[in-house]
Amino acid sequence: MELLDGKKLSQEILSELKEKLADAKGPPPCVTFIRVGEDPASVYYVNSKQKKAALVGIESRLKTFPESITQEQLLEEIGSLNADSSVHGILVQAPLPSHMDERTVFNSVAPEKDVDGFSTNNLGRLVQEDPEAFVACTPAGIAEMIRRYKIKTEGRHVVVLGRSLIVGKPAALLFMRKDPFANATVTVCHSRTRNLSNITRQADILIAAIGQANFVTADMVSPGTIVVDVGINRVDDPSSKKGYRIVGDVDFDAVAPKCDAISPVPGGVGLMTVAMLMHNTMKAWELSQKKNH
Amino acid sequence: MELLDGKKLSQEILSELKEKLADAKGPPPCVTFIRVGEDPASVYYVNSKQKKAALVGIESRLKTFPESITQEQLLEEIGSLNADSSVHGILVQAPLPSHMDERTVFNSVAPEKDVDGFSTNNLGRLVQEDPEAFVACTPAGIAEMIRRYKIKTEGRHVVVLGRSLIVGKPAALLFMRKDPFANATVTVCHSRTRNLSNITRQADILIAAIGQANFVTADMVSPGTIVVDVGINRVDDPSSKKGYRIVGDVDFDAVAPKCDAISPVPGGVGLMTVAMLMHNTMKAWELSQKKNH
């Protein structure tokens, strides 16, 4: 059983980006984060993304707004970032206050700066297999993990557990692309699926993105499967200082011995997500340079 | 074995639309067709769509351009149709001359007038399960056929053969939606799929959209399956006047006896496609009225 080491891979990706940028002339890529309100998780996430950006040599800026900002004002702010040629990527940190419509706000980011890949346009371009599309960082991180571990996907059966807009669906679309690193037969399962374990047992590659702790049990996985665990779930753990620990969607201890390879939680896909955000920012920068020449 | 009768269903849909429009006040829905060049198939298709529109009470207009029109000029023409509030739907008949980029042209149609559902925006909105999205007419016709025959999809396994942008992918996205008429487990197979018949035999509903005559043979289908045949393939037939006949992707004579229900070719999904174009035009008209009130 091989461990799909997200820590190692993400460091590899970040080092490559850093190296690429070391030789770059002119102003570096710049990503601007937008945070509305002071949700502690959002503060933490944006902060850790900014640290990674600094590590790589990507400039990052942070714009914070009070929860009281109207959607109209926020859209105006995004509009001026869209128009600002020194900004290559824009990321609006979710969740937004309840008086806003997240889709409208995400869609207001110019497609070529939408490094989070959440806009209608980038989802559509993913369906169209447009190589310039920005793919949401988590599914992009899964695909990159599979690719870097040289796991063959062509003609193999990828089973995706979960049909969310930010993981399940884009992951399914990624693996069915006409591309040597994709070309997989793809099945999307979810809460309504009947005979679920009958399907998951057929997976060559199983992607668990259902958001339930230890949902995937040993009987659901055939020997030799590749398992990618996307879940990040808190479970009570009185023995830990915080009183909880983070587990994935896969019952790791029981499932891992049956796998050819498996990504752990933590230390797996989660770290890939941030690395792919930097990758996407780099891509936005490169595309903007291409268009200006 | 029940025949999924596209002729009957499409007439039903067209009658319903006609009835709805009989009571409507003010100018009726209007769809404008754009045809570039004189490709006989295109002439035929646009003509038959216009006839169906007239039948229902939908106004249709036809704009034809010589093959020599530049893409820029065509985009300008589409731009003025976008701005024309008397036009609710715009359909650019494919194929376009080789000096044009089809995606750019399709994307120039305003999303709210894109009754063909081919634009990046409408594909993205399909992924997002936006009820105002326009879904391409063939996959929409498949879903409508399944719905009108009261075939349950929730939790059942829909296997889609083919991953094209105009049938396979949108059909897969339709059937995995969180919707009582969807909620299916969906598998997308294609030319690279291994052990194909092992997968197709697991289908509760099999959608064949692979573009190869008689591709689906009896051994690929389990007893009791619902089969929807999307193929429209010409095969030589010296006994026919034209020298050919149209067959689907399914070997109908061998497969039909095993099925719970099957759509024939011709007389199946093909007719649903035109009906759904009228449905989409009606929807565009209704949405435009809603927005003006």
Side-chain angles (χ1 to χ4, degrees), chain A residues 30-33 61 78-92 106 108-119 121-122 125 132-134 277 280-281 283-285 287-288 291-292:
Chain A
C30 168
V31 57
T32 297
F33 296 98
R61 300 177 192 164
I78 293 172
S80 35
L81 291 172
N82 285 338
D84 181 347
S85 65
S86 75
V87 173
H88 309 100
I90 301 169
L91 187 148
V92 182
F106 292 153
S108 73
V109 175
E112 69 275 14
K113 299 190 179 188
D114 172 33
V115 287
D116 230 0
F118 287 171
S119 66
N121 180 281
N122 275 302
R125 289 198 288 161
E132 294 191 1
F134 290 98
L277 176 63
N280 280 354
T281 303
K283 179 174 167 174
W285 179 69
L287 288 172
S288 82
K291 270 167 198 158
N292 295 332

mmCIF file of all heavy atoms in Angstrom, chain A residues 30-33 61 78-92 106 108-119 121-122 125 132-134 277 280-281 283-285 287-288 291-292:
data_model
loop_
_atom_site.group_PDB
_atom_site.id
_atom_site.type_symbol
_atom_site.label_atom_id
_atom_site.label_comp_id
_atom_site.label_asym_id
_atom_site.label_seq_id
_atom_site.Cartn_x
_atom_site.Cartn_y
_atom_site.Cartn_z
ATOM 1 N N CYS A 30 -0.104 38.142 -8.994
ATOM 2 C CA CYS A 30 -0.746 38.706 -7.805
ATOM 3 C C CYS A 30 -2.163 38.171 -7.652
ATOM 4 O O CYS A 30 -2.957 38.227 -8.586
ATOM 5 C CB CYS A 30 -0.771 40.229 -7.916
ATOM 6 S SG CYS A 30 -1.831 41.000 -6.675
ATOM 7 N N VAL A 31 -2.436 37.646 -6.473
ATOM 8 C CA VAL A 31 -3.797 37.196 -6.165
ATOM 9 C C VAL A 31 -4.367 38.095 -5.069
ATOM 10 O O VAL A 31 -3.658 38.442 -4.120
ATOM 11 C CB VAL A 31 -3.819 35.702 -5.743
ATOM 12 C CG1 VAL A 31 -2.915 35.425 -4.557
ATOM 13 C CG2 VAL A 31 -5.240 35.220 -5.446
ATOM 14 N N THR A 32 -5.605 38.492 -5.243
ATOM 15 C CA THR A 32 -6.255 39.298 -4.218
ATOM 16 C C THR A 32 -7.366 38.493 -3.547
ATOM 17 O O THR A 32 -8.224 37.922 -4.220
ATOM 18 C CB THR A 32 -6.830 40.595 -4.816
ATOM 19 O OG1 THR A 32 -5.749 41.362 -5.335
ATOM 20 C CG2 THR A 32 -7.564 41.408 -3.760
ATOM 21 N N PHE A 33 -7.282 38.424 -2.235
ATOM 22 C CA PHE A 33 -8.310 37.727 -1.459
ATOM 23 C C PHE A 33 -9.335 38.736 -0.965
ATOM 24 O O PHE A 33 -8.979 39.837 -0.562
ATOM 25 C CB PHE A 33 -7.682 37.026 -0.250
ATOM 26 C CG PHE A 33 -6.733 35.941 -0.645
ATOM 27 C CD1 PHE A 33 -5.354 36.174 -0.680
ATOM 28 C CD2 PHE A 33 -7.195 34.683 -0.990
ATOM 29 C CE1 PHE A 33 -4.468 35.178 -1.067
ATOM 30 C CE2 PHE A 33 -6.316 33.676 -1.368
ATOM 31 C CZ PHE A 33 -4.949 33.923 -1.402
ATOM 32 N N ARG A 61 -2.753 40.100 -1.929
ATOM 33 C CA ARG A 61 -3.349 41.253 -1.258
ATOM 34 C C ARG A 61 -4.627 40.788 -0.583
ATOM 35 O O ARG A 61 -5.251 39.826 -1.023
ATOM 36 C CB ARG A 61 -3.695 42.347 -2.282
ATOM 37 C CG ARG A 61 -2.471 42.838 -3.045
ATOM 38 C CD ARG A 61 -2.845 43.866 -4.098
ATOM 39 N NE ARG A 61 -1.710 44.111 -4.998
ATOM 40 C CZ ARG A 61 -1.799 44.702 -6.180
ATOM 41 N NH1 ARG A 61 -2.995 45.118 -6.612
ATOM 42 N NH2 ARG A 61 -0.737 44.881 -6.936
ATOM 43 N N ILE A 78 -15.289 44.198 -6.578
ATOM 44 C CA ILE A 78 -14.780 43.138 -7.457
ATOM 45 C C ILE A 78 -14.574 43.695 -8.860
ATOM 46 O O ILE A 78 -13.584 43.404 -9.531
ATOM 47 C CB ILE A 78 -15.738 41.929 -7.453
ATOM 48 C CG1 ILE A 78 -15.737 41.278 -6.064
ATOM 49 C CG2 ILE A 78 -15.331 40.906 -8.507
ATOM 50 C CD1 ILE A 78 -16.780 40.194 -5.866
ATOM 51 N N GLY A 79 -15.518 44.550 -9.282
ATOM 52 C CA GLY A 79 -15.393 45.182 -10.595
ATOM 53 C C GLY A 79 -14.092 45.954 -10.740
ATOM 54 O O GLY A 79 -13.426 45.882 -11.777
ATOM 55 N N SER A 80 -13.687 46.657 -9.673
ATOM 56 C CA SER A 80 -12.445 47.424 -9.845
ATOM 57 C C SER A 80 -11.224 46.505 -9.821
ATOM 58 O O SER A 80 -10.240 46.783 -10.499
ATOM 59 C CB SER A 80 -12.328 48.589 -8.852
ATOM 60 O OG SER A 80 -12.867 48.275 -7.617
ATOM 61 N N LEU A 81 -11.330 45.388 -9.110
ATOM 62 C CA LEU A 81 -10.227 44.415 -9.170
ATOM 63 C C LEU A 81 -10.164 43.764 -10.554
ATOM 64 O O LEU A 81 -9.081 43.482 -11.074
ATOM 65 C CB LEU A 81 -10.396 43.344 -8.093
ATOM 66 C CG LEU A 81 -10.204 43.841 -6.646
ATOM 67 C CD1 LEU A 81 -10.598 42.742 -5.662
ATOM 68 C CD2 LEU A 81 -8.768 44.277 -6.409
ATOM 69 N N ASN A 82 -11.332 43.506 -11.140
ATOM 70 C CA ASN A 82 -11.358 42.965 -12.499
ATOM 71 C C ASN A 82 -10.624 43.889 -13.465
ATOM 72 O O ASN A 82 -9.930 43.439 -14.380
ATOM 73 C CB ASN A 82 -12.806 42.795 -12.992
ATOM 74 C CG ASN A 82 -13.500 41.603 -12.353
ATOM 75 O OD1 ASN A 82 -12.853 40.676 -11.862
ATOM 76 N ND2 ASN A 82 -14.826 41.621 -12.361
ATOM 77 N N ALA A 83 -10.800 45.194 -13.238
ATOM 78 C CA ALA A 83 -10.232 46.187 -14.155
ATOM 79 C C ALA A 83 -8.760 46.467 -13.858
ATOM 80 O O ALA A 83 -8.079 47.089 -14.668
ATOM 81 C CB ALA A 83 -11.044 47.473 -14.066
ATOM 82 N N ASP A 84 -8.285 46.015 -12.722
ATOM 83 C CA ASP A 84 -6.918 46.316 -12.290
ATOM 84 C C ASP A 84 -5.939 45.299 -12.887
ATOM 85 O O ASP A 84 -5.899 44.141 -12.481
ATOM 86 C CB ASP A 84 -6.885 46.272 -10.750
ATOM 87 C CG ASP A 84 -5.512 46.587 -10.193
ATOM 88 O OD1 ASP A 84 -4.523 46.604 -10.965
ATOM 89 O OD2 ASP A 84 -5.417 46.802 -8.965
ATOM 90 N N SER A 85 -5.142 45.771 -13.843
ATOM 91 C CA SER A 85 -4.277 44.826 -14.564
ATOM 92 C C SER A 85 -3.132 44.294 -13.700
ATOM 93 O O SER A 85 -2.437 43.367 -14.092
ATOM 94 C CB SER A 85 -3.724 45.483 -15.826
ATOM 95 O OG SER A 85 -2.881 46.561 -15.451
ATOM 96 N N SER A 86 -2.930 44.869 -12.523
ATOM 97 C CA SER A 86 -1.871 44.330 -11.654
ATOM 98 C C SER A 86 -2.375 43.137 -10.838
ATOM 99 O O SER A 86 -1.607 42.481 -10.147
ATOM 100 C CB SER A 86 -1.349 45.430 -10.714
ATOM 101 O OG SER A 86 -2.275 45.681 -9.677
ATOM 102 N N VAL A 87 -3.673 42.858 -10.919
ATOM 103 C CA VAL A 87 -4.260 41.718 -10.201
ATOM 104 C C VAL A 87 -4.568 40.605 -11.193
ATOM 105 O O VAL A 87 -5.299 40.820 -12.165
ATOM 106 C CB VAL A 87 -5.563 42.144 -9.476
ATOM 107 C CG1 VAL A 87 -6.262 40.927 -8.866
ATOM 108 C CG2 VAL A 87 -5.265 43.175 -8.403
ATOM 109 N N HIS A 88 -3.997 39.422 -10.969
ATOM 110 C CA HIS A 88 -4.220 38.313 -11.911
ATOM 111 C C HIS A 88 -5.254 37.320 -11.421
ATOM 112 O O HIS A 88 -5.925 36.673 -12.213
ATOM 113 C CB HIS A 88 -2.892 37.607 -12.187
ATOM 114 C CG HIS A 88 -1.807 38.546 -12.572
ATOM 115 N ND1 HIS A 88 -0.853 38.980 -11.675
ATOM 116 C CD2 HIS A 88 -1.570 39.191 -13.737
ATOM 117 C CE1 HIS A 88 -0.047 39.839 -12.287
ATOM 118 N NE2 HIS A 88 -0.463 39.992 -13.530
ATOM 119 N N GLY A 89 -5.343 37.172 -10.108
ATOM 120 C CA GLY A 89 -6.320 36.237 -9.560
ATOM 121 C C GLY A 89 -7.139 36.911 -8.467
ATOM 122 O O GLY A 89 -6.629 37.768 -7.738
ATOM 123 N N ILE A 90 -8.416 36.550 -8.393
ATOM 124 C CA ILE A 90 -9.293 37.082 -7.341
ATOM 125 C C ILE A 90 -9.978 35.911 -6.669
ATOM 126 O O ILE A 90 -10.528 35.042 -7.345
ATOM 127 C CB ILE A 90 -10.365 38.030 -7.932
ATOM 128 C CG1 ILE A 90 -9.704 39.202 -8.657
ATOM 129 C CG2 ILE A 90 -11.321 38.518 -6.854
ATOM 130 C CD1 ILE A 90 -10.674 40.036 -9.499
ATOM 131 N N LEU A 91 -9.909 35.866 -5.356
ATOM 132 C CA LEU A 91 -10.588 34.787 -4.634
ATOM 133 C C LEU A 91 -11.498 35.386 -3.560
ATOM 134 O O LEU A 91 -11.027 36.089 -2.671
ATOM 135 C CB LEU A 91 -9.560 33.843 -3.999
ATOM 136 C CG LEU A 91 -10.154 32.581 -3.369
ATOM 137 C CD1 LEU A 91 -9.167 31.424 -3.481
ATOM 138 C CD2 LEU A 91 -10.558 32.785 -1.918
ATOM 139 N N VAL A 92 -12.776 35.132 -3.705
ATOM 140 C CA VAL A 92 -13.736 35.578 -2.692
ATOM 141 C C VAL A 92 -13.927 34.422 -1.719
ATOM 142 O O VAL A 92 -14.410 33.355 -2.090
ATOM 143 C CB VAL A 92 -15.088 35.950 -3.341
ATOM 144 C CG1 VAL A 92 -16.049 36.461 -2.279
ATOM 145 C CG2 VAL A 92 -14.898 36.969 -4.455
ATOM 146 N N PHE A 106 -19.677 35.213 -6.974
ATOM 147 C CA PHE A 106 -18.614 34.454 -7.654
ATOM 148 C C PHE A 106 -18.602 34.753 -9.157
ATOM 149 O O PHE A 106 -17.550 34.849 -9.773
ATOM 150 C CB PHE A 106 -18.791 32.942 -7.434
ATOM 151 C CG PHE A 106 -18.573 32.505 -6.013
ATOM 152 C CD1 PHE A 106 -19.189 31.363 -5.511
ATOM 153 C CD2 PHE A 106 -17.739 33.220 -5.163
ATOM 154 C CE1 PHE A 106 -18.986 30.950 -4.199
ATOM 155 C CE2 PHE A 106 -17.529 32.818 -3.844
ATOM 156 C CZ PHE A 106 -18.155 31.679 -3.363
ATOM 157 N N SER A 108 -19.292 37.410 -10.577
ATOM 158 C CA SER A 108 -18.863 38.764 -10.909
ATOM 159 C C SER A 108 -17.346 38.845 -11.085
ATOM 160 O O SER A 108 -16.828 39.822 -11.617
ATOM 161 C CB SER A 108 -19.323 39.746 -9.834
ATOM 162 O OG SER A 108 -18.555 39.576 -8.663
ATOM 163 N N VAL A 109 -16.640 37.823 -10.642
ATOM 164 C CA VAL A 109 -15.191 37.780 -10.865
ATOM 165 C C VAL A 109 -14.954 37.483 -12.345
ATOM 166 O O VAL A 109 -15.569 36.569 -12.914
ATOM 167 C CB VAL A 109 -14.538 36.680 -9.999
ATOM 168 C CG1 VAL A 109 -13.045 36.557 -10.323
ATOM 169 C CG2 VAL A 109 -14.747 36.966 -8.513
ATOM 170 N N ALA A 110 -14.097 38.267 -12.981
ATOM 171 C CA ALA A 110 -13.796 38.037 -14.399
ATOM 172 C C ALA A 110 -13.315 36.598 -14.588
ATOM 173 O O ALA A 110 -12.466 36.137 -13.818
ATOM 174 C CB ALA A 110 -12.731 39.022 -14.865
ATOM 175 N N PRO A 111 -13.838 35.888 -15.581
ATOM 176 C CA PRO A 111 -13.480 34.475 -15.765
ATOM 177 C C PRO A 111 -11.971 34.236 -15.780
ATOM 178 O O PRO A 111 -11.493 33.252 -15.223
ATOM 179 C CB PRO A 111 -14.092 34.124 -17.124
ATOM 180 C CG PRO A 111 -15.225 35.068 -17.297
ATOM 181 C CD PRO A 111 -14.819 36.333 -16.590
ATOM 182 N N GLU A 112 -11.230 35.166 -16.385
ATOM 183 C CA GLU A 112 -9.779 34.965 -16.505
ATOM 184 C C GLU A 112 -9.037 35.253 -15.199
ATOM 185 O O GLU A 112 -7.836 35.031 -15.097
ATOM 186 C CB GLU A 112 -9.217 35.790 -17.665
ATOM 187 C CG GLU A 112 -9.213 37.300 -17.460
ATOM 188 C CD GLU A 112 -10.549 37.962 -17.824
ATOM 189 O OE1 GLU A 112 -11.557 37.244 -17.990
ATOM 190 O OE2 GLU A 112 -10.563 39.197 -17.922
ATOM 191 N N LYS A 113 -9.774 35.735 -14.177
ATOM 192 C CA LYS A 113 -9.164 35.951 -12.857
ATOM 193 C C LYS A 113 -9.777 35.033 -11.802
ATOM 194 O O LYS A 113 -9.403 35.096 -10.628
ATOM 195 C CB LYS A 113 -9.334 37.421 -12.435
ATOM 196 C CG LYS A 113 -8.649 38.400 -13.386
ATOM 197 C CD LYS A 113 -8.603 39.819 -12.842
ATOM 198 C CE LYS A 113 -7.884 40.729 -13.849
ATOM 199 N NZ LYS A 113 -7.631 42.068 -13.304
ATOM 200 N N ASP A 114 -10.683 34.193 -12.227
ATOM 201 C CA ASP A 114 -11.437 33.345 -11.296
ATOM 202 C C ASP A 114 -10.624 32.101 -10.942
ATOM 203 O O ASP A 114 -10.929 30.983 -11.344
ATOM 204 C CB ASP A 114 -12.774 32.968 -11.954
ATOM 205 C CG ASP A 114 -13.552 31.930 -11.170
ATOM 206 O OD1 ASP A 114 -13.460 31.934 -9.922
ATOM 207 O OD2 ASP A 114 -14.232 31.098 -11.806
ATOM 208 N N VAL A 115 -9.583 32.295 -10.121
ATOM 209 C CA VAL A 115 -8.655 31.199 -9.808
ATOM 210 C C VAL A 115 -9.292 30.127 -8.931
ATOM 211 O O VAL A 115 -8.725 29.046 -8.749
ATOM 212 C CB VAL A 115 -7.374 31.744 -9.132
ATOM 213 C CG1 VAL A 115 -6.515 32.475 -10.167
ATOM 214 C CG2 VAL A 115 -7.712 32.686 -7.973
ATOM 215 N N ASP A 116 -10.472 30.403 -8.415
ATOM 216 C CA ASP A 116 -11.196 29.413 -7.616
ATOM 217 C C ASP A 116 -12.063 28.505 -8.503
ATOM 218 O O ASP A 116 -12.526 27.454 -8.063
ATOM 219 C CB ASP A 116 -12.100 30.149 -6.614
ATOM 220 C CG ASP A 116 -11.928 29.627 -5.194
ATOM 221 O OD1 ASP A 116 -11.112 28.709 -4.999
ATOM 222 O OD2 ASP A 116 -12.619 30.136 -4.297
ATOM 223 N N GLY A 117 -12.286 28.935 -9.736
ATOM 224 C CA GLY A 117 -13.035 28.118 -10.699
ATOM 225 C C GLY A 117 -14.495 27.906 -10.358
ATOM 226 O O GLY A 117 -15.108 26.954 -10.829
ATOM 227 N N PHE A 118 -15.067 28.782 -9.549
ATOM 228 C CA PHE A 118 -16.452 28.579 -9.105
ATOM 229 C C PHE A 118 -17.482 29.250 -10.021
ATOM 230 O O PHE A 118 -18.680 29.071 -9.842
ATOM 231 C CB PHE A 118 -16.651 29.131 -7.687
ATOM 232 C CG PHE A 118 -16.020 28.292 -6.613
ATOM 233 C CD1 PHE A 118 -15.955 28.752 -5.305
ATOM 234 C CD2 PHE A 118 -15.511 27.037 -6.902
ATOM 235 C CE1 PHE A 118 -15.377 27.977 -4.296
ATOM 236 C CE2 PHE A 118 -14.931 26.257 -5.899
ATOM 237 C CZ PHE A 118 -14.863 26.734 -4.600
ATOM 238 N N SER A 119 -17.029 30.052 -10.970
ATOM 239 C CA SER A 119 -17.992 30.802 -11.780
ATOM 240 C C SER A 119 -18.650 29.901 -12.820
ATOM 241 O O SER A 119 -18.110 28.870 -13.224
ATOM 242 C CB SER A 119 -17.296 31.968 -12.484
ATOM 243 O OG SER A 119 -16.363 31.463 -13.417
ATOM 244 N N ASN A 121 -18.983 30.476 -15.865
ATOM 245 C CA ASN A 121 -18.149 30.419 -17.062
ATOM 246 C C ASN A 121 -17.089 29.331 -16.968
ATOM 247 O O ASN A 121 -16.902 28.542 -17.898
ATOM 248 C CB ASN A 121 -17.492 31.790 -17.293
ATOM 249 C CG ASN A 121 -16.605 31.798 -18.519
ATOM 250 O OD1 ASN A 121 -15.472 31.320 -18.478
ATOM 251 N ND2 ASN A 121 -17.120 32.289 -19.637
ATOM 252 N N ASN A 122 -16.392 29.265 -15.836
ATOM 253 C CA ASN A 122 -15.338 28.255 -15.733
ATOM 254 C C ASN A 122 -15.897 26.843 -15.629
ATOM 255 O O ASN A 122 -15.275 25.895 -16.122
ATOM 256 C CB ASN A 122 -14.390 28.590 -14.582
ATOM 257 C CG ASN A 122 -13.315 29.558 -15.026
ATOM 258 O OD1 ASN A 122 -12.570 29.262 -15.960
ATOM 259 N ND2 ASN A 122 -13.259 30.729 -14.415
ATOM 260 N N ARG A 125 -16.666 25.995 -19.194
ATOM 261 C CA ARG A 125 -15.447 25.708 -19.949
ATOM 262 C C ARG A 125 -14.831 24.373 -19.547
ATOM 263 O O ARG A 125 -14.185 23.701 -20.354
ATOM 264 C CB ARG A 125 -14.438 26.849 -19.785
ATOM 265 C CG ARG A 125 -14.900 28.113 -20.524
ATOM 266 C CD ARG A 125 -13.760 29.073 -20.747
ATOM 267 N NE ARG A 125 -13.328 29.720 -19.508
ATOM 268 C CZ ARG A 125 -12.147 30.310 -19.364
ATOM 269 N NH1 ARG A 125 -11.275 30.343 -20.361
ATOM 270 N NH2 ARG A 125 -11.830 30.881 -18.218
ATOM 271 N N GLU A 132 -7.871 26.439 -21.093
ATOM 272 C CA GLU A 132 -7.681 27.692 -20.362
ATOM 273 C C GLU A 132 -8.672 27.866 -19.206
ATOM 274 O O GLU A 132 -8.622 28.855 -18.487
ATOM 275 C CB GLU A 132 -7.767 28.887 -21.325
ATOM 276 C CG GLU A 132 -6.608 28.896 -22.316
ATOM 277 C CD GLU A 132 -6.496 30.186 -23.110
ATOM 278 O OE1 GLU A 132 -7.302 31.106 -22.890
ATOM 279 O OE2 GLU A 132 -5.579 30.264 -23.955
ATOM 280 N N ALA A 133 -9.567 26.902 -19.028
ATOM 281 C CA ALA A 133 -10.527 26.984 -17.916
ATOM 282 C C ALA A 133 -9.788 26.892 -16.590
ATOM 283 O O ALA A 133 -8.760 26.222 -16.484
ATOM 284 C CB ALA A 133 -11.545 25.860 -18.017
ATOM 285 N N PHE A 134 -10.317 27.557 -15.587
ATOM 286 C CA PHE A 134 -9.812 27.366 -14.228
ATOM 287 C C PHE A 134 -10.688 26.324 -13.538
ATOM 288 O O PHE A 134 -11.906 26.467 -13.484
ATOM 289 C CB PHE A 134 -9.817 28.679 -13.451
ATOM 290 C CG PHE A 134 -8.784 29.617 -13.966
ATOM 291 C CD1 PHE A 134 -9.116 30.614 -14.863
ATOM 292 C CD2 PHE A 134 -7.460 29.454 -13.599
ATOM 293 C CE1 PHE A 134 -8.142 31.456 -15.368
ATOM 294 C CE2 PHE A 134 -6.469 30.293 -14.106
ATOM 295 C CZ PHE A 134 -6.818 31.288 -14.990
ATOM 296 N N LEU A 277 -4.302 26.306 -5.901
ATOM 297 C CA LEU A 277 -4.657 27.726 -5.966
ATOM 298 C C LEU A 277 -3.466 28.539 -6.475
ATOM 299 O O LEU A 277 -3.620 29.457 -7.293
ATOM 300 C CB LEU A 277 -5.095 28.222 -4.580
ATOM 301 C CG LEU A 277 -5.404 29.711 -4.495
ATOM 302 C CD1 LEU A 277 -6.577 30.088 -5.389
ATOM 303 C CD2 LEU A 277 -5.684 30.109 -3.046
ATOM 304 N N ASN A 280 -3.138 27.833 -10.132
ATOM 305 C CA ASN A 280 -4.134 28.580 -10.909
ATOM 306 C C ASN A 280 -3.760 30.051 -11.032
ATOM 307 O O ASN A 280 -3.954 30.675 -12.080
ATOM 308 C CB ASN A 280 -5.529 28.445 -10.273
ATOM 309 C CG ASN A 280 -6.194 27.124 -10.623
ATOM 310 O OD1 ASN A 280 -5.680 26.343 -11.427
ATOM 311 N ND2 ASN A 280 -7.347 26.856 -10.015
ATOM 312 N N THR A 281 -3.209 30.611 -9.954
ATOM 313 C CA THR A 281 -2.796 32.016 -9.993
ATOM 314 C C THR A 281 -1.669 32.195 -11.015
ATOM 315 O O THR A 281 -1.668 33.137 -11.810
ATOM 316 C CB THR A 281 -2.333 32.478 -8.597
ATOM 317 O OG1 THR A 281 -3.403 32.267 -7.677
ATOM 318 C CG2 THR A 281 -1.945 33.944 -8.597
ATOM 319 N N LYS A 283 -1.171 30.309 -13.564
ATOM 320 C CA LYS A 283 -1.780 30.143 -14.884
ATOM 321 C C LYS A 283 -2.464 31.441 -15.329
ATOM 322 O O LYS A 283 -2.331 31.852 -16.479
ATOM 323 C CB LYS A 283 -2.792 28.996 -14.801
ATOM 324 C CG LYS A 283 -3.552 28.686 -16.072
ATOM 325 C CD LYS A 283 -4.405 27.425 -15.864
ATOM 326 C CE LYS A 283 -5.419 27.234 -16.972
ATOM 327 N NZ LYS A 283 -6.140 25.944 -16.851
ATOM 328 N N ALA A 284 -3.171 32.082 -14.410
ATOM 329 C CA ALA A 284 -3.853 33.346 -14.737
ATOM 330 C C ALA A 284 -2.829 34.391 -15.170
ATOM 331 O O ALA A 284 -3.041 35.142 -16.135
ATOM 332 C CB ALA A 284 -4.647 33.846 -13.530
ATOM 333 N N TRP A 285 -1.728 34.404 -14.470
ATOM 334 C CA TRP A 285 -0.646 35.347 -14.769
ATOM 335 C C TRP A 285 -0.053 35.064 -16.146
ATOM 336 O O TRP A 285 0.126 35.962 -16.962
ATOM 337 C CB TRP A 285 0.406 35.211 -13.671
ATOM 338 C CG TRP A 285 1.624 36.065 -13.764
ATOM 339 C CD1 TRP A 285 1.698 37.419 -13.610
ATOM 340 C CD2 TRP A 285 2.966 35.599 -13.983
ATOM 341 N NE1 TRP A 285 3.010 37.826 -13.711
ATOM 342 C CE2 TRP A 285 3.809 36.734 -13.946
ATOM 343 C CE3 TRP A 285 3.542 34.357 -14.187
ATOM 344 C CZ2 TRP A 285 5.191 36.645 -14.116
ATOM 345 C CZ3 TRP A 285 4.914 34.261 -14.357
ATOM 346 C CH2 TRP A 285 5.727 35.399 -14.319
ATOM 347 N N LEU A 287 -1.429 33.435 -18.637
ATOM 348 C CA LEU A 287 -2.397 33.726 -19.702
ATOM 349 C C LEU A 287 -2.504 35.227 -19.941
ATOM 350 O O LEU A 287 -2.641 35.671 -21.076
ATOM 351 C CB LEU A 287 -3.773 33.137 -19.350
ATOM 352 C CG LEU A 287 -3.885 31.614 -19.444
ATOM 353 C CD1 LEU A 287 -5.225 31.124 -18.895
ATOM 354 C CD2 LEU A 287 -3.716 31.139 -20.888
ATOM 355 N N SER A 288 -2.424 36.010 -18.870
ATOM 356 C CA SER A 288 -2.536 37.463 -19.042
ATOM 357 C C SER A 288 -1.310 37.985 -19.794
ATOM 358 O O SER A 288 -1.411 38.914 -20.600
ATOM 359 C CB SER A 288 -2.686 38.167 -17.692
ATOM 360 O OG SER A 288 -1.435 38.356 -17.077
ATOM 361 N N LYS A 291 -1.674 37.179 -23.454
ATOM 362 C CA LYS A 291 -2.639 38.046 -24.141
ATOM 363 C C LYS A 291 -2.103 39.449 -24.364
ATOM 364 O O LYS A 291 -2.553 40.157 -25.247
ATOM 365 C CB LYS A 291 -3.949 38.097 -23.344
ATOM 366 C CG LYS A 291 -4.860 36.990 -23.834
ATOM 367 C CD LYS A 291 -6.044 36.729 -22.962
ATOM 368 C CE LYS A 291 -6.582 35.345 -23.329
ATOM 369 N NZ LYS A 291 -7.378 34.751 -22.273
ATOM 370 N N ASN A 292 -1.117 39.848 -23.550
ATOM 371 C CA ASN A 292 -0.566 41.193 -23.711
ATOM 372 C C ASN A 292 0.628 41.225 -24.658
ATOM 373 O O ASN A 292 1.258 42.259 -24.824
ATOM 374 C CB ASN A 292 -0.177 41.772 -22.344
ATOM 375 C CG ASN A 292 -1.406 41.982 -21.474
ATOM 376 O OD1 ASN A 292 -2.495 42.201 -21.985
ATOM 377 N ND2 ASN A 292 -1.242 41.896 -20.165
#
